[in-house]
Amino acid sequence: MGSGTPVGRVRGLGSAKHGTQHWWQQRLTAGANIFLMAWLMVAIARMPAYDYASVHLWLQSSWAAIPMALLILSVFYHFRLGLQVVIEDYMHGESRVVTMILLNLFTFTLGGIALFAILKVAFSGAPA
């Protein structure tokens, strides 16, 4: 007994066995995004003021900087997973490879810039 069609078995075509892992990663990052965005909304609502100095002082706390960094990581990874599916479904040939490389560069660059900004504020002194 085999699986799939006879032609598929001959060609070696079948499941790549990566769909389930990708699906779970997307669901886990979605859950993390909901939890961390709820935290962010509550934290912003509880701030006494919304001026630069207050937000800067708030983000210097590790209780704010760590969840913010986790939020950035989760959002950008979820973004990458979602667009990867779109690219794999609708693009073919060399353009798919080029687009995936551009997606990875875009995601890691913007995620790195966002993490750098959070870390810079978290480890800097009083606002100027």
Side-chain angles (χ1 to χ4, degrees), residues 1-103:
M1 278 183 87
S3 61
T5 64
V7 175
R9 282 193 303 272
V10 170
R11 290 183 183 163
L13 301 175
S15 173
K17 308 233 184 328
H18 292 290
T20 306
Q21 179 184 5
H22 188 97
W23 186 86
W24 270 110
Q25 287 175 345
Q26 203 164 22
R27 295 321 178 263
L28 290 174
T29 55
N33 289 345
I34 290 172
F35 176 72
L36 290 167
M37 287 300 284
W39 164 83
L40 181 62
M41 295 300 131
V42 170
I44 288 174
R46 293 184 65 213
M47 290 182 73
Y50 300 112
D51 59 307
Y52 177 79
S54 298
V55 175
H56 193 276
L57 185 63
W58 171 75
L59 197 53
Q60 281 183 331
S61 165
S62 61
W63 291 104
I66 292 172
M68 281 295 289
L70 291 174
L71 177 65
I72 292 298
L73 291 171
S74 180
V75 164
F76 275 97
Y77 188 58
H78 184 75
F79 170 78
R80 189 201 162 282
L81 288 172
L83 282 182
Q84 177 184 346
V85 171
V86 173
I87 291 168
E88 288 173 349
D89 286 347
Y90 295 107
M91 297 192 81
H92 305 286
E94 291 179 17
S95 64
R96 180 159 110 183
V97 174
V98 171
T99 309
M100 283 300 298
I101 291 170
L102 290 174
L103 172 65

